[in-house]
Amino acid sequence: MAEQFNYSSVLAPHMKHLLDIKSSAGISAHRMKWILKEFDDFANKEHLEDPHITDAFIQKWRATRISDCERTLYAKYSAWHQLTTMMARSGCSCFIPRLPKQPKPNFTPYIFTHEQIASILKAADDCRLYDIRMGTALFAMPTLLRLLYSTGLRVSEALSIKNEDVHMDGCYIHIRKTKNGSERVVPLCESMKDVLNVYLAHRDRMPIKGVSASKSPLFIKTDGTEFNAGCVYNHMRKLLDICGIPHKGNHMGPRVHDLRHTNAVHALVQMGHEGMDLYTSLPILSTCLGHHSLSATEQYVRLTCAMYPELEEQCSEINAFVYPKTNVAYDYDD
């Protein structure tokens, strides 16, 4: 476990056990680790001596979270609920807090136009280094951004791809590390295959040991090391400035993750223009995005119909009954 997650309170063994359970299910639980670190620090501050969590202890912790928004509090109460439930099943006497009402997202995803996407990709192609910097991710950005838009992958999923996961002959990528722990296959169109082939041809010419090995990452810096989502976010901000696309800040976008939303809306529009009923195409989109339920994908139909009202006529009455308009779902990580 990373140094910042070396829990030291009396709750530490239970926290580690909870994370081990999630890890065995293929869930990285990165946010959970930070939340548990907050709980661990609070337990140490309160000099908690026994693995016994009371209602008063939870309430005292809650009084310290005056700056947390509703969504953050919901995530933390969820962590408390999971931790105390597991501890209670292990024989520890614990108060299990009830989850608050799940808050609705307070933002609308930014959907890029086709012209904006073209502008962003061209700006990525035109970016150049102005000094000698071996550890830059600039080389991989044009291909990575195209992959995010073409497939609707999350940034974390794209950066977790290994060389062995890319199957050019079968026109797909095997995504192993996902948000919900369920592996999936993402199809590649011909143009995306061409882009990846060009990227791989140039990448493999770099004098880096093992660059094309099966277990090596697909996307690397020019020194052969992996890079994180922060590099992608910073580069995207620069591209937005170059393209004259205003950035609202405070999680209001446009965000890198909005490429995923844009992919979904543009894909639905394309299927609609080809004559497919939008709700008939919903399971296809849901599978590609890696959602566990159609309800998590249905919001994209709402966005599509709001932006392209003429396509709403292609939602048949039968399918509209199966997926009613009143059934609104929220994909909180999206």
Side-chain angles (χ1 to χ4, degrees):
M1 188 175 291
E3 183 177 351
Q4 64 265 35
F5 301 128
N6 285 333
Y7 310 122
S8 58
S9 72
V10 69
L11 301 177
H14 302 282
M15 293 176 173
K16 294 175 182 177
H17 183 47
L18 177 61
L19 292 175
D20 287 342
I21 293 175
K22 289 184 174 294
S23 178
S24 66
I27 302 173
S28 62
H30 185 71
R31 187 181 187 187
M32 173 73 80
K33 293 176 183 178
W34 282 108
I35 293 175
L36 292 179
K37 178 60 178 173
E38 176 187 309
F39 297 169
D40 187 68
D41 291 342
F42 183 75
N44 282 327
K45 183 180 178 181
E46 294 298 313
H47 305 291
L48 187 67
E49 297 180 354
D50 299 314
H52 171 63
I53 298 176
T54 64
D55 185 10
F57 182 81
I58 297 290
Q59 292 299 326
K60 194 170 185 179
W61 162 84
R62 172 63 182 88
T64 67
R65 310 316 305 164
I66 57 176
S67 298
D68 288 349
C69 67
E70 289 184 355
R71 292 183 64 190
T72 300
L73 281 174
Y74 181 84
K76 292 180 179 180
Y77 267 105
S78 177
W80 273 126
H81 186 86
Q82 294 175 60
L83 179 63
T84 53
T85 299
M86 187 201 69
M87 291 175 63
R89 291 175 178 173
S90 300
C92 299
S93 177
C94 288
F95 169 77
I96 301 176
R98 293 182 60 182
L99 288 177
K101 183 177 180 181
Q102 192 170 18
K104 297 180 181 180
N106 56 0
F107 69 93
T108 300
Y110 187 95
I111 306 301
F112 296 101
T113 65
H114 288 282
E115 291 75 19
Q116 287 175 327
I117 289 292
S119 177
I120 290 171
L121 296 180
K122 183 180 184 304
D125 293 340
D126 293 341
C127 282
R128 297 292 184 270
L129 282 177
Y130 294 98
D131 57 7
I132 299 175
R133 190 182 308 167
M134 291 302 296
T136 176
L138 187 63
F139 168 73
M141 286 300 173
T143 302
L144 176 60
L145 292 177
R146 283 175 168 84
L147 184 67
L148 294 176
Y149 171 62
S150 175
T151 61
L153 287 174
R154 301 177 178 90
V155 177
S156 59
E157 293 172 340
L159 294 180
S160 71
I161 298 172
K162 306 297 183 183
N163 290 325
E164 64 180 357
D165 300 327
V166 182
H167 301 267
M168 293 297 189
D169 294 339
C171 301
Y172 70 91
I173 296 178
H174 184 178
I175 307 300
R176 304 176 189 273
K177 188 177 180 180
T178 65
K179 184 191 76 171
N180 52 34
S182 299
E183 298 182 12
R184 73 180 188 277
V185 168
V186 174
L188 294 173
C189 63
E190 288 299 323
S191 60
M192 190 64 237
K193 279 180 57 182
D194 292 340
V195 170
L196 279 172
N197 280 324
V198 172
Y199 166 75
L200 291 172
H202 286 83
R203 187 205 64 177
D204 293 350
R205 292 172 59 188
M206 293 193 293
I208 298 173
K209 183 179 180 180
V211 66
S212 59
S214 62
K215 298 296 184 181
S216 295
L218 173 65
F219 295 109
I220 59 172
K221 295 181 180 180
T222 48
D223 61 0
T225 60
E226 299 181 55
F227 58 94
N228 57 32
C231 293
V232 187
Y233 299 151
N234 293 334
H235 189 67
M236 186 67 171
R237 285 290 301 274
K238 295 177 182 178
L239 294 178
L240 292 175
D241 290 339
I242 293 172
C243 298
I245 302 173
H247 186 271
K248 300 177 182 178
N250 194 27
H251 304 289
M252 297 301 293
R255 310 161 301 163
V256 176
H257 196 75
D258 288 325
L259 291 172
R260 175 174 166 87
H261 288 273
T262 301
N263 161 272
V265 171
H266 287 185
L268 281 171
V269 171
Q270 181 178 344
M271 287 187 278
H273 287 163
E274 292 175 354
M276 291 183 65
D277 183 285
L278 291 186
Y279 281 108
T280 302
S281 58
L282 195 62
I284 300 173
L285 181 63
S286 182
T287 300
C288 290
L289 292 176
H291 288 159
H292 275 172
S293 65
L294 292 179
S295 60
T297 315
E298 193 183 24
Q299 60 175 314
Y300 295 110
V301 178
R302 301 288 161 250
L303 287 170
T304 303
C305 289
M307 297 178 65
Y308 303 89
E310 72 279 4
L311 292 178
E312 193 163 13
E313 298 177 2
Q314 295 176 224
C315 296
S316 70
E317 291 298 325
I318 294 178
N319 285 330
F321 173 76
V322 176
Y323 308 109
K325 293 183 179 182
T326 57
N327 184 15
V328 180
Y330 302 96
D331 190 347
Y332 284 92
D333 283 345
D334 287 356

